Amino acid sequence: MMSEEDTAKTPEPADAAGSSPSPDVTSPAADAEAEAPPASGNVPQAEPLSDGTVPTVLDPGAGIPTTAVAKGRASLTAVYRRADIITTLVTFIVAIVAAGVVLGGYLYLTRPSKQAAVSAPKVTTLDQKDLEKLGTFFGSTGGGSSQVLTISSSTLFTNRVAINNDLKVTGGVSVAGSTNLGDLTVDKTSTLGVTNVRAALNVAGPLTLQSPALLNGGASAKGDLSASGNGTFGGSLSAGIINTRDLAVTGNLNLSGHLIVNGSRPGISLGSEAGGGASTNIDGNDSAGTVSVNTGSVSFGATTNGGLLINVIFHTAYGRVPRVLITPIGQSSGALPYYVQRTATGFTIGAASGIHSNTGYAFDYWVIQ
């Protein structure tokens, strides 16, 4: 039998035959020996291993393919370095922008409100020396047009303020307390709230009151007083003459003087039995008056059977047939059995009998609707 050493030393059939290996077959060891560079005298040789394999020691940098960098082109390290610089700059710029956005948001959210309480203004008190300086500046006359005192902020006068001349205010005037004015002249529109006038109030132009006016002390109007709306009087109404188109009285109508009714004169004409040559007259208006007639030659039938004497035609017709009251004047008129026929446009006075020729008859009338 063969030992393991003999088996390891037994040559392959090709080796035993002494023939060279085929050119197409290449062993890895041969390739390694072919590619390995020649050993340098400066490189120490490694000792063989226990199995007889001898390691190959390479020169520094051997086995690493190197590529020459062309002239004018940056190396890969330089490119990386430049990329790091650009990244750093971009990061710095982004950090600044983000800080600005955060700071702007904080200022916007913490901005003071428009309705924040206004701090109390600084108060400066003028002492006696300052007042004397002002007196020296303006003099006893209060200063002229070339002397101007300008106060740019709010001013509080704790005592009286006297102005010897005119006071001109270009802005508004607000008075919290009572105001006493000797004479008040308003050339333009003035809006007044609660206004108490203890003396006379003279209004040269038209006076327009948008709301009801309360006059506790009474009101006197020397000129015309015109009201397009209704008027209400809780007390008595005194007037020299009241001219009105319609007067409605819901309560009692008390007249302490005479009742005088004016108006246009109505028309008048003779009745059918006044006789030939008769004449008539009227003195009054549609409400009251006196009518008279002087008969002419009256027929026998008018004396026995009566007839119509006077026709009255209203100047303005009533809305419906009114009441007409007749009062005879004189003995001859009182002896007549008179009567009235009435319509909305007028009335007629007649007698049932006893009409005589050449006789005067007169009647007072009172018309009420």
Side-chain angles (χ1 to χ4, degrees), residues 3 52 62 81 86 110 126 152 242 253 256 272 290 307 323 335 343:
S3 63
R81 185 174 302 170
I86 295 175
T110 59
L126 299 179
S152 58
I242 298 178
L253 179 60
S256 59
S272 59
T290 302
R323 281 82 171 174
T343 63

Side-chain angles (χ1 to χ4, degrees), residues 33-368:
E33 291 179 357
E35 291 178 0
S40 174
N42 296 330
V43 178
Q45 297 296 321
E47 294 180 358
L49 302 176
S50 59
D51 59 355
T53 303
V54 179
T56 301
V57 180
L58 300 178
D59 293 336
I64 301 175
T66 59
T67 302
V69 180
K71 184 179 181 180
R73 295 184 182 180
S75 64
L76 183 61
T77 303
V79 173
Y80 287 160
R81 185 174 302 170
R82 184 177 302 173
D84 290 341
I85 295 173
I86 295 175
T87 303
T88 303
L89 291 177
V90 172
T91 304
F92 181 75
I93 293 174
V94 171
I96 292 177
V97 173
V101 171
V102 172
L103 180 59
Y106 174 79
L107 294 178
Y108 177 79
L109 294 177
T110 59
R111 71 188 189 282
S113 177
K114 294 182 179 180
Q115 298 179 353
V118 180
S119 59
K122 181 181 179 182
V123 178
T124 301
T125 303
L126 299 179
D127 55 11
Q128 186 62 32
K129 293 182 180 181
D130 295 331
L131 296 177
E132 291 176 357
K133 291 179 181 180
L134 290 177
T136 304
F137 174 74
F138 286 105
S140 60
T141 60
S145 59
S146 62
Q147 296 172 318
V148 177
L149 174 63
T150 301
I151 301 175
S152 58
S153 60
S154 300
T155 303
L156 175 62
F157 297 94
T158 58
N159 210 327
R160 289 187 176 183
V161 177
I163 299 175
N164 294 330
N165 210 321
D166 297 339
L167 173 63
K168 182 178 181 180
V169 181
T170 58
V173 176
S174 177
V175 180
S178 60
T179 303
N180 297 324
L181 300 175
D183 295 324
L184 176 62
T185 302
V186 180
D187 295 329
K188 295 184 178 181
T189 303
S190 178
T191 301
L192 303 176
V194 178
T195 305
N196 297 322
V197 180
R198 291 196 299 266
L201 176 62
N202 298 323
V203 180
L207 176 62
T208 301
L209 303 176
Q210 302 294 340
S211 299
L214 178 61
L215 305 175
N216 293 326
S220 177
K222 294 182 179 180
D224 297 337
L225 178 61
S226 177
S228 59
N230 299 327
T232 302
F233 299 91
S236 61
L237 174 62
S238 299
I241 299 176
I242 298 178
N243 296 321
T244 179
R245 186 176 65 86
D246 296 326
L247 177 62
V249 180
T250 57
N252 297 329
L253 179 60
N254 299 321
L255 300 175
S256 59
H258 298 166
L259 178 61
I260 301 174
V261 182
N262 295 321
S264 300
R265 180 179 177 179
I268 191 171
S269 63
L270 292 171
S272 59
E273 303 301 329
S279 62
T280 185
N281 186 39
I282 186 171
D283 180 20
N285 48 59
D286 289 352
S287 298
T290 302
V291 292
S292 61
V293 59
N294 293 321
T295 60
S297 300
V298 177
S299 64
F300 179 76
T303 302
T304 57
N305 299 323
L308 302 178
L309 293 174
I310 305 170
N311 296 320
V312 177
I313 301 95
F314 295 136
H315 181 272
T316 302
Y318 283 85
R320 57 179 180 152
V321 178
R323 281 82 171 174
V324 180
L325 304 178
I326 299 296
T327 302
I329 302 175
Q331 183 177 3
S332 58
S333 300
L336 285 176
Y338 61 89
Y339 61 89
V340 176
Q341 294 177 347
R342 52 194 175 84
T343 63
T345 58
F347 64 91
T348 300
I349 300 176
S353 62
I355 300 176
H356 299 285
S357 300
N358 302 321
T359 304
Y361 301 101
F363 301 91
D364 289 336
Y365 66 89
W366 177 260
V367 183
I368 301 176

